Amino acid sequence: MFIYASMYAIAKKNNMVPVTNRQSALWQLFPGIHAVSAPKHVLKGFRKITRKLCCRFYDDLHNLSKENTIMDSYLQSFKYFEGYEREIRDEFKFNQRTVERGSAVLAKALETIQQNKNNTSVCVHVRRGDYIEVHHVTGQILPSAHYVRRAMDYFRHKYNLPVFVVVTEDVTWSRENIDSNDVIFVASPEPEVDLFILTQCDHVVLTMGTFGWWGGWLGGGEVVYNKNVAWPGSLYDQWYKKDDFFPPSWIGIE
């Protein structure tokens, strides 16, 4: 999603045409995508621009020469599509099946706890999974239960009787560490349903990864993130720049 959103805006800013591979899963999930669809063989011979670091903004990409170009980069910075937020949100409108399934899952979950329809809903995205295996190599810091509880307390202190919807692939860890009488758990076998649910909450708490990032960004409410992302001097510390990855309106806590 970062690659598509950034590519789309970079193309627009350079008066070029955004093109993507028609086999991309994005076409199925977001049927309103407006980029030109092209098969892979058409893209052969295009100039390739590579930026190796994932979570940084390279402003030279906003001034490209007019050549057919492949963006061979992660492009994980909101700054690439600043000024195009409305268009990107229109691009990322879910297909009807995902809307229906996600709405049903969320409604059923909220029925078990919500006292009235005016309760503030806060989605908590707990991602651990593959990061447990690789964080000691990359230097990424796994958000602690203490961080998640502090993030939830931020909303408890700000809003009256908020409801927390925990979206996670690690229900066991989540139940052991952040369960409470105002918490419900959602673990859908379909990632696209989880992503849709994240966009439907009033606010979002993030842990790790770009999946939750997009849930928070598309949702448009308050977003709380973990300030302690990487160990100093680690690989990820070199790849990542906080001000390029997290919008300034988001709230970082430890």
Side-chain angles (χ1 to χ4, degrees), residues 111-177:
E111 283 178 2
T112 66
I113 192 171
Q114 203 163 21
Q115 297 180 16
N116 62 70
K117 293 183 179 180
N118 295 321
N119 284 96
T120 297
S121 61
V122 181
C123 273
V124 182
H125 181 237
V126 176
R127 181 176 174 185
R128 291 169 56 78
D130 52 334
Y131 284 107
I132 297 175
E133 303 297 327
V134 303
H135 78 281
H136 65 284
V137 176
T138 62
Q140 291 165 282
I141 298 175
L142 288 174
S144 65
H146 174 72
Y147 155 72
V148 179
R149 288 193 292 265
R150 285 200 64 201
M152 294 166 71
D153 284 343
Y154 166 84
F155 290 105
R156 289 185 177 110
H157 294 150
K158 187 168 184 178
Y159 299 100
N160 183 41
L161 299 175
V163 173
F164 296 93
V165 181
V166 178
V167 180
T168 182
E169 92 290 358
D170 195 340
V171 175
T172 300
W173 183 93
S174 300
R175 287 190 181 278
E176 290 175 351
N177 289 279

Side-chain angles (χ1 to χ4, degrees), residues 58-198:
Y58 296 91
D59 59 0
D60 62 309
L61 297 181
H62 284 166
N63 187 28
L64 299 177
S65 60
K66 299 300 185 291
E67 301 177 52
N68 292 334
T69 303
I70 292 177
M71 306 302 300
D72 182 28
S73 309
Y74 292 100
L75 303 176
Q76 292 175 356
S77 172
F78 69 94
K79 292 182 178 179
Y80 289 115
F81 43 92
E82 279 187 312
Y84 291 82
E85 289 88 352
R86 181 175 296 179
E87 290 184 47
I88 297 303
R89 286 189 166 90
D90 285 341
E91 294 289 299
F92 289 155
K93 287 188 175 178
F94 292 86
N95 63 44
Q96 190 60 32
R97 177 184 180 276
T98 300
V99 171
E100 292 174 356
R101 292 177 70 85
S103 298
V105 170
L106 182 58
K108 184 176 181 180
L110 289 175
E111 283 178 2
T112 66
I113 192 171
Q114 203 163 21
Q115 297 180 16
N116 62 70
K117 293 183 179 180
N118 295 321
N119 284 96
T120 297
S121 61
V122 181
C123 273
V124 182
H125 181 237
V126 176
R127 181 176 174 185
R128 291 169 56 78
D130 52 334
Y131 284 107
I132 297 175
E133 303 297 327
V134 303
H135 78 281
H136 65 284
V137 176
T138 62
Q140 291 165 282
I141 298 175
L142 288 174
S144 65
H146 174 72
Y147 155 72
V148 179
R149 288 193 292 265
R150 285 200 64 201
M152 294 166 71
D153 284 343
Y154 166 84
F155 290 105
R156 289 185 177 110
H157 294 150
K158 187 168 184 178
Y159 299 100
N160 183 41
L161 299 175
V163 173
F164 296 93
V165 181
V166 178
V167 180
T168 182
E169 92 290 358
D170 195 340
V171 175
T172 300
W173 183 93
S174 300
R175 287 190 181 278
E176 290 175 351
N177 289 279
I178 59 173
D179 198 4
S180 181
N181 59 9
D182 56 0
V183 174
I184 52 179
F185 298 88
V186 173
S188 168
E190 300 173 281
E192 64 271 21
V193 170
D194 284 349
L195 181 59
F196 174 79
I197 289 171
L198 288 172

Side-chain angles (χ1 to χ4, degrees), residues 2 54-58 75-80 213 239-247:
F2 263 115
C54 67
C55 309
R56 288 176 178 264
F57 173 68
Y58 296 91
L75 303 176
Q76 292 175 356
S77 172
F78 69 94
K79 292 182 178 179
Y80 289 115
W213 191 102
W239 300 340
Y240 156 88
K241 186 176 179 182
K242 180 179 75 69
D243 292 342
D244 288 349
F245 189 68
F246 294 115

